[in-house]
Amino acid sequence: MAVSKRFSKFLENIALTEAQMTSGRDRREKVVQVLNSRYWASQSKTQNSKIIGSWGKYTRVRPPRDVDVLFELPDSVYHRFESRTGNRQSQLLQEIKGVLAKTFSTTYIKGDGPVVKVPFVSYNVELVPAFSLTNGQYWICMTDGGGYYKKADYDAESRLVKTSNDSTNSNTRNLIRMMKRWQAYCNVPIKSFWLELIGIEFLSGWEHRTKPKTYYDWMVRDFLKHLEGKANTTVHAPGTLEAMDLGNAWLSKARMARGRAEKACENETNTPLTAGVEWQKIFGTDIPKSV
């Protein structure tokens, strides 16, 4: 019961507040309305857009991270830019940046695409301009290598998380959220998207995947052990099957966290305060030391 109380409180502490969720929705609507006005002659705050990323998959954590928003552009915009020369994708992102800058004083393009970031005081909107394809996927703008369109399947990503979560007594989203807190607290150089995919893979074969929160100490420990085994392998994006190399830059921190989780699990029954000290080395003070 102590394990269940500890991890229940942890999940409560990293859940977004209602005010934070409202703020995120408001930011999405402000950005989308500007783009709908420019590209669709509409004042809608939501049409032609969808929330993606952790907000769309309900794996968001506190403190809030960026709100990822996909905005679907008309086909006419694609054809207009195809008639140009040079890096068309960069030019398109620059145009959208300019449209948003008229309303929001600061915008910038992140890295090599596909994101235009719109900063707000507390947290930002990361806008992904996209063209809809007939199979439900999207073309998104990549600006490296002279520019190109890359396929993305955000609906497939969301379905994968939901299907796993439904079959694991809601443990999938909880595991992902906890490990994203580890990623942030310990500054682990691994992408959240990779943690999601590896977490789903792990739970698909974990014998306790439908058990309640009393098993969460084991779940964290066993996931970290599974994660160690993924070093220098690949994962594949849902829908598009894009291969992504995991590398091993994060391995030493995963190994350290796994050792601490093992120690915490050993102490949960007889010395729960000692266990709490070890859990806080992994997750910070969001997870209670004593229960």
Side-chain angles (χ1 to χ4, degrees):
M1 291 303 296
V3 170
S4 180
K5 285 181 61 178
R6 189 193 304 281
F7 281 90
S8 293
K9 184 62 178 177
F10 178 31
L11 289 164
E12 179 185 326
N13 287 342
I14 62 175
L16 265 61
T17 66
E18 187 59 42
Q20 288 169 333
M21 289 189 288
T22 299
S23 181
R25 289 190 291 266
D26 178 66
R27 282 154 174 71
R28 175 254 189 128
E29 291 174 358
K30 283 180 166 62
V31 170
V32 168
Q33 187 174 33
V34 170
L35 294 176
N36 267 328
S37 178
R38 169 63 177 81
Y39 290 104
W40 294 96
S42 167
Q43 293 302 310
S44 173
K45 298 179 180 179
T46 57
Q47 287 181 356
N48 307 306
S49 73
K50 64 174 65 178
I51 295 179
I52 57 176
S54 63
W55 284 67
K57 290 177 272 193
Y58 302 97
T59 58
R60 56 205 174 193
V61 294
R62 182 175 21 166
R65 303 186 181 187
D66 299 333
V67 182
D68 298 302
V69 178
L70 178 141
F71 184 79
E72 182 180 336
L73 292 161
D75 291 345
S76 59
V77 175
Y78 168 78
H79 293 296
R80 174 161 59 86
F81 277 87
E82 280 299 290
S83 68
R84 299 187 179 188
T85 59
N87 193 322
R88 301 175 180 90
Q89 291 73 21
S90 177
Q91 294 173 40
L92 174 54
L93 292 181
Q94 290 290 350
E95 177 179 289
I96 292 170
K97 174 184 173 182
V99 171
L100 293 169
K102 293 177 181 178
T103 302
F104 310 103
S105 57
T106 305
T107 61
Y108 60 94
I109 296 172
K110 183 179 179 183
D112 297 323
V115 168
V116 176
K117 179 170 281 192
V118 186
F120 288 90
V121 173
S122 53
Y123 47 101
N124 311 320
V125 170
E126 288 205 341
L127 180 84
V128 180
F131 296 106
S132 178
L133 303 176
T134 56
N135 61 357
Q137 297 178 356
Y138 293 90
W139 269 347
I140 59 176
C141 298
M142 305 303 294
T143 61
D144 57 319
Y148 61 97
Y149 291 108
K150 183 174 81 169
K151 286 184 179 180
D153 197 331
Y154 299 106
D155 290 342
E157 293 177 18
S158 295
R159 284 195 301 270
L160 182 66
V161 173
K162 183 181 186 304
T163 299
S164 176
N165 198 63
D166 289 346
S167 67
T168 60
N169 191 30
S170 298
N171 290 332
T172 298
R173 287 192 175 115
N174 285 342
L175 174 62
I176 292 168
R177 291 173 60 227
M178 290 189 295
M179 299 321 299
K180 286 171 71 172
R181 193 71 203 97
W182 164 65
Q183 173 204 37
Y185 178 71
C186 293
N187 195 27
V188 185
I190 188 170
K191 293 182 179 180
S192 298
F193 187 31
W194 297 350
L195 287 175
E196 289 179 1
L197 296 176
I198 297 168
I200 290 167
E201 176 190 83
F202 160 70
L203 285 171
S204 69
W206 194 51
E207 61 181 323
H208 306 300
R209 59 185 171 274
T210 61
K211 298 291 179 60
K213 292 183 179 66
T214 49
Y215 283 76
Y216 272 22
D217 55 340
W218 289 5
M219 183 170 73
V220 169
R221 177 198 64 191
D222 294 351
F223 169 77
L224 287 165
K225 183 176 181 180
H226 180 82
L227 178 62
E228 284 185 72
K230 300 299 292 184
N232 299 311
T233 66
T234 59
V235 290
H236 295 83
T240 66
L241 301 181
E242 176 191 359
M244 295 169 285
D245 294 325
L246 297 176
N248 63 6
W250 44 268
L251 179 57
S252 62
K253 292 193 175 184
R255 186 175 290 128
M256 184 180 298
R258 188 258 303 161
R260 288 169 172 167
E262 288 178 346
K263 187 180 296 185
C265 289
E266 292 168 1
N267 286 284
E268 275 292 1
T269 301
N270 296 320
T271 54
L273 185 61
T274 302
V277 170
E278 294 302 321
W279 290 126
Q280 288 197 342
K281 291 176 183 177
I282 300 172
F283 298 116
T285 55
D286 285 315
I287 190 166
K289 184 184 298 184
S290 59
V291 290

